[in-house]
mmCIF file of all heavy atoms in Angstrom:
data_model
loop_
_atom_site.group_PDB
_atom_site.id
_atom_site.type_symbol
_atom_site.label_atom_id
_atom_site.label_comp_id
_atom_site.label_asym_id
_atom_site.label_seq_id
_atom_site.Cartn_x
_atom_site.Cartn_y
_atom_site.Cartn_z
ATOM 1 N N ASP B 72 -15.301 16.893 14.297
ATOM 2 C CA ASP B 72 -15.056 17.018 12.856
ATOM 3 C C ASP B 72 -15.597 15.796 12.114
ATOM 4 O O ASP B 72 -16.153 15.872 11.045
ATOM 5 C CB ASP B 72 -13.555 17.154 12.556
ATOM 6 C CG ASP B 72 -13.118 18.540 12.876
ATOM 7 O OD1 ASP B 72 -13.969 19.402 13.022
ATOM 8 O OD2 ASP B 72 -11.931 18.773 13.059
ATOM 9 N N LEU B 73 -15.294 14.662 12.704
ATOM 10 C CA LEU B 73 -15.613 13.400 11.989
ATOM 11 C C LEU B 73 -17.125 13.212 11.900
ATOM 12 O O LEU B 73 -17.641 12.764 10.856
ATOM 13 C CB LEU B 73 -15.016 12.266 12.814
ATOM 14 C CG LEU B 73 -14.430 11.115 12.019
ATOM 15 C CD1 LEU B 73 -13.503 11.624 10.977
ATOM 16 C CD2 LEU B 73 -13.659 10.169 12.942
ATOM 17 N N VAL B 74 -17.851 13.670 12.897
ATOM 18 C CA VAL B 74 -19.277 13.576 12.805
ATOM 19 C C VAL B 74 -19.780 14.527 11.736
ATOM 20 O O VAL B 74 -20.659 14.163 10.965
ATOM 21 C CB VAL B 74 -19.923 13.897 14.208
ATOM 22 C CG1 VAL B 74 -21.438 14.123 14.022
ATOM 23 C CG2 VAL B 74 -19.567 12.830 15.168
ATOM 24 N N ALA B 75 -19.268 15.721 11.674
ATOM 25 C CA ALA B 75 -19.611 16.673 10.679
ATOM 26 C C ALA B 75 -19.364 16.100 9.274
ATOM 27 O O ALA B 75 -20.109 16.214 8.352
ATOM 28 C CB ALA B 75 -18.973 17.991 10.892
ATOM 29 N N LEU B 76 -18.148 15.449 9.251
ATOM 30 C CA LEU B 76 -17.814 14.869 7.902
ATOM 31 C C LEU B 76 -18.762 13.775 7.520
ATOM 32 O O LEU B 76 -19.185 13.695 6.329
ATOM 33 C CB LEU B 76 -16.391 14.281 8.005
ATOM 34 C CG LEU B 76 -15.899 13.587 6.749
ATOM 35 C CD1 LEU B 76 -15.813 14.591 5.643
ATOM 36 C CD2 LEU B 76 -14.526 12.954 6.996
ATOM 37 N N ASP B 77 -19.186 12.983 8.416
ATOM 38 C CA ASP B 77 -20.142 11.902 8.123
ATOM 39 C C ASP B 77 -21.439 12.469 7.589
ATOM 40 O O ASP B 77 -22.026 12.024 6.580
ATOM 41 C CB ASP B 77 -20.385 11.033 9.359
ATOM 42 C CG ASP B 77 -21.164 9.820 9.069
ATOM 43 O OD1 ASP B 77 -20.779 9.064 8.160
ATOM 44 O OD2 ASP B 77 -22.212 9.578 9.715
ATOM 45 N N ASP B 78 -21.914 13.520 8.262
ATOM 46 C CA ASP B 78 -23.154 14.144 7.774
ATOM 47 C C ASP B 78 -22.954 14.733 6.343
ATOM 48 O O ASP B 78 -23.817 14.598 5.491
ATOM 49 C CB ASP B 78 -23.538 15.277 8.739
ATOM 50 C CG ASP B 78 -24.056 14.803 10.065
ATOM 51 O OD1 ASP B 78 -24.418 13.581 10.117
ATOM 52 O OD2 ASP B 78 -23.987 15.558 11.064
ATOM 53 N N ALA B 79 -21.825 15.374 6.192
ATOM 54 C CA ALA B 79 -21.587 15.963 4.876
ATOM 55 C C ALA B 79 -21.500 14.899 3.824
ATOM 56 O O ALA B 79 -21.952 15.081 2.705
ATOM 57 C CB ALA B 79 -20.239 16.782 4.899
ATOM 58 N N LEU B 80 -20.851 13.789 4.163
ATOM 59 C CA LEU B 80 -20.672 12.709 3.170
ATOM 60 C C LEU B 80 -22.082 12.116 2.786
ATOM 61 O O LEU B 80 -22.284 11.776 1.623
ATOM 62 C CB LEU B 80 -19.826 11.661 3.795
ATOM 63 C CG LEU B 80 -18.969 10.776 2.811
ATOM 64 C CD1 LEU B 80 -18.341 11.563 1.771
ATOM 65 C CD2 LEU B 80 -17.935 10.036 3.649
ATOM 66 N N ARG B 81 -23.001 12.041 3.783
ATOM 67 C CA ARG B 81 -24.280 11.554 3.356
ATOM 68 C C ARG B 81 -24.956 12.488 2.391
ATOM 69 O O ARG B 81 -25.616 12.098 1.473
ATOM 70 C CB ARG B 81 -25.163 11.546 4.636
ATOM 71 C CG ARG B 81 -24.991 10.292 5.420
ATOM 72 C CD ARG B 81 -25.893 10.299 6.719
ATOM 73 N NE ARG B 81 -25.232 9.834 7.827
ATOM 74 C CZ ARG B 81 -25.038 8.546 8.175
ATOM 75 N NH1 ARG B 81 -25.598 7.651 7.433
ATOM 76 N NH2 ARG B 81 -24.339 8.200 9.190
ATOM 77 N N GLY B 82 -24.769 13.847 2.672
ATOM 78 C CA GLY B 82 -25.315 14.784 1.684
ATOM 79 C C GLY B 82 -24.762 14.624 0.329
ATOM 80 O O GLY B 82 -25.415 14.653 -0.707
ATOM 81 N N LEU B 83 -23.461 14.409 0.263
ATOM 82 C CA LEU B 83 -22.750 14.231 -1.019
ATOM 83 C C LEU B 83 -23.325 13.013 -1.695
ATOM 84 O O LEU B 83 -23.558 13.004 -2.937
ATOM 85 C CB LEU B 83 -21.228 14.118 -0.805
ATOM 86 C CG LEU B 83 -20.434 13.952 -2.087
ATOM 87 C CD1 LEU B 83 -20.654 15.195 -3.040
ATOM 88 C CD2 LEU B 83 -18.965 13.791 -1.736
ATOM 89 N N ALA B 84 -23.476 11.969 -1.001
ATOM 90 C CA ALA B 84 -23.943 10.665 -1.612
ATOM 91 C C ALA B 84 -25.375 10.868 -2.237
ATOM 92 O O ALA B 84 -25.642 10.211 -3.245
ATOM 93 C CB ALA B 84 -23.993 9.557 -0.575
ATOM 94 N N GLU B 85 -26.135 11.733 -1.671
ATOM 95 C CA GLU B 85 -27.486 11.984 -2.264
ATOM 96 C C GLU B 85 -27.380 12.704 -3.589
ATOM 97 O O GLU B 85 -28.204 12.470 -4.465
ATOM 98 C CB GLU B 85 -28.320 12.829 -1.322
ATOM 99 C CG GLU B 85 -28.927 11.997 -0.192
ATOM 100 C CD GLU B 85 -29.404 12.897 0.999
ATOM 101 O OE1 GLU B 85 -29.723 14.092 0.650
ATOM 102 O OE2 GLU B 85 -29.401 12.432 2.132
ATOM 103 N N ARG B 86 -26.353 13.501 -3.722
ATOM 104 C CA ARG B 86 -26.209 14.315 -4.925
ATOM 105 C C ARG B 86 -25.388 13.683 -5.991
ATOM 106 O O ARG B 86 -25.634 13.847 -7.170
ATOM 107 C CB ARG B 86 -25.613 15.723 -4.623
ATOM 108 C CG ARG B 86 -26.518 16.549 -3.774
ATOM 109 C CD ARG B 86 -25.698 17.795 -3.287
ATOM 110 N NE ARG B 86 -26.525 18.813 -2.743
ATOM 111 C CZ ARG B 86 -27.047 18.819 -1.540
ATOM 112 N NH1 ARG B 86 -26.799 17.772 -0.789
ATOM 113 N NH2 ARG B 86 -27.728 19.767 -1.078
ATOM 114 N N ASP B 87 -24.293 13.014 -5.535
ATOM 115 C CA ASP B 87 -23.344 12.573 -6.508
ATOM 116 C C ASP B 87 -22.685 11.313 -5.904
ATOM 117 O O ASP B 87 -21.656 11.328 -5.261
ATOM 118 C CB ASP B 87 -22.336 13.622 -6.720
ATOM 119 C CG ASP B 87 -21.344 13.357 -7.913
ATOM 120 O OD1 ASP B 87 -21.076 12.152 -8.177
ATOM 121 O OD2 ASP B 87 -20.942 14.300 -8.563
ATOM 122 N N LEU B 88 -23.315 10.161 -6.242
ATOM 123 C CA LEU B 88 -22.920 8.947 -5.577
ATOM 124 C C LEU B 88 -21.461 8.571 -5.841
ATOM 125 O O LEU B 88 -20.726 8.104 -4.956
ATOM 126 C CB LEU B 88 -23.787 7.762 -6.040
ATOM 127 C CG LEU B 88 -23.561 6.448 -5.383
ATOM 128 C CD1 LEU B 88 -23.699 6.510 -3.907
ATOM 129 C CD2 LEU B 88 -24.506 5.402 -5.968
ATOM 130 N N ARG B 89 -21.069 8.798 -7.023
ATOM 131 C CA ARG B 89 -19.682 8.338 -7.442
ATOM 132 C C ARG B 89 -18.647 9.120 -6.595
ATOM 133 O O ARG B 89 -17.677 8.579 -6.136
ATOM 134 C CB ARG B 89 -19.440 8.559 -8.937
ATOM 135 C CG ARG B 89 -18.134 7.970 -9.312
ATOM 136 C CD ARG B 89 -18.013 7.759 -10.847
ATOM 137 N NE ARG B 89 -17.667 8.998 -11.479
ATOM 138 C CZ ARG B 89 -17.432 9.005 -12.779
ATOM 139 N NH1 ARG B 89 -17.542 7.949 -13.561
ATOM 140 N NH2 ARG B 89 -17.087 10.159 -13.354
ATOM 141 N N LYS B 90 -18.845 10.442 -6.429
ATOM 142 C CA LYS B 90 -17.832 11.169 -5.651
ATOM 143 C C LYS B 90 -17.841 10.658 -4.212
ATOM 144 O O LYS B 90 -16.775 10.544 -3.618
ATOM 145 C CB LYS B 90 -18.197 12.670 -5.643
ATOM 146 C CG LYS B 90 -17.922 13.381 -6.992
ATOM 147 C CD LYS B 90 -18.126 14.900 -6.857
ATOM 148 C CE LYS B 90 -17.785 15.591 -8.086
ATOM 149 N NZ LYS B 90 -18.537 15.243 -9.253
ATOM 150 N N ALA B 91 -19.006 10.399 -3.695
ATOM 151 C CA ALA B 91 -19.066 9.900 -2.340
ATOM 152 C C ALA B 91 -18.371 8.543 -2.210
ATOM 153 O O ALA B 91 -17.615 8.279 -1.198
ATOM 154 C CB ALA B 91 -20.487 9.765 -1.839
ATOM 155 N N GLN B 92 -18.530 7.733 -3.195
ATOM 156 C CA GLN B 92 -17.831 6.433 -3.129
ATOM 157 C C GLN B 92 -16.321 6.549 -3.203
ATOM 158 O O GLN B 92 -15.589 5.938 -2.466
ATOM 159 C CB GLN B 92 -18.295 5.583 -4.359
ATOM 160 C CG GLN B 92 -19.644 4.932 -4.206
ATOM 161 C CD GLN B 92 -20.047 4.258 -5.498
ATOM 162 O OE1 GLN B 92 -19.435 4.383 -6.536
ATOM 163 N NE2 GLN B 92 -21.070 3.443 -5.357
ATOM 164 N N ILE B 93 -15.900 7.528 -4.015
ATOM 165 C CA ILE B 93 -14.452 7.736 -4.135
ATOM 166 C C ILE B 93 -13.859 8.207 -2.777
ATOM 167 O O ILE B 93 -12.838 7.734 -2.304
ATOM 168 C CB ILE B 93 -14.133 8.796 -5.249
ATOM 169 C CG1 ILE B 93 -14.434 8.138 -6.567
ATOM 170 C CG2 ILE B 93 -12.699 9.254 -5.186
ATOM 171 C CD1 ILE B 93 -14.283 9.110 -7.716
ATOM 172 N N VAL B 94 -14.611 9.134 -2.160
ATOM 173 C CA VAL B 94 -14.145 9.615 -0.836
ATOM 174 C C VAL B 94 -14.107 8.475 0.119
ATOM 175 O O VAL B 94 -13.173 8.377 0.906
ATOM 176 C CB VAL B 94 -15.050 10.796 -0.360
ATOM 177 C CG1 VAL B 94 -14.675 11.159 1.116
ATOM 178 C CG2 VAL B 94 -14.923 11.987 -1.242
ATOM 179 N N GLU B 95 -15.140 7.703 0.188
ATOM 180 C CA GLU B 95 -15.172 6.609 1.162
ATOM 181 C C GLU B 95 -13.989 5.690 0.933
ATOM 182 O O GLU B 95 -13.312 5.275 1.862
ATOM 183 C CB GLU B 95 -16.481 5.793 0.952
ATOM 184 C CG GLU B 95 -17.574 6.260 1.764
ATOM 185 C CD GLU B 95 -18.633 5.203 2.016
ATOM 186 O OE1 GLU B 95 -18.479 4.060 1.464
ATOM 187 O OE2 GLU B 95 -19.538 5.453 2.839
ATOM 188 N N LEU B 96 -13.753 5.271 -0.318
ATOM 189 C CA LEU B 96 -12.729 4.283 -0.603
ATOM 190 C C LEU B 96 -11.365 4.929 -0.259
ATOM 191 O O LEU B 96 -10.468 4.274 0.218
ATOM 192 C CB LEU B 96 -12.739 3.940 -2.083
ATOM 193 C CG LEU B 96 -13.928 3.063 -2.500
ATOM 194 C CD1 LEU B 96 -13.992 2.924 -4.002
ATOM 195 C CD2 LEU B 96 -13.812 1.733 -1.815
#
Side-chain angles (χ1 to χ4, degrees):
Chain B
D72 283 344
L73 220 48
V74 169
L76 177 63
D77 188 53
D78 289 340
L80 207 45
R81 276 179 224 278
L83 181 60
E85 280 162 29
R86 291 170 168 78
D87 191 328
L88 184 59
R89 189 162 82 174
K90 287 188 176 61
Q92 284 176 345
I93 290 175
V94 172
E95 274 205 352
L96 290 172

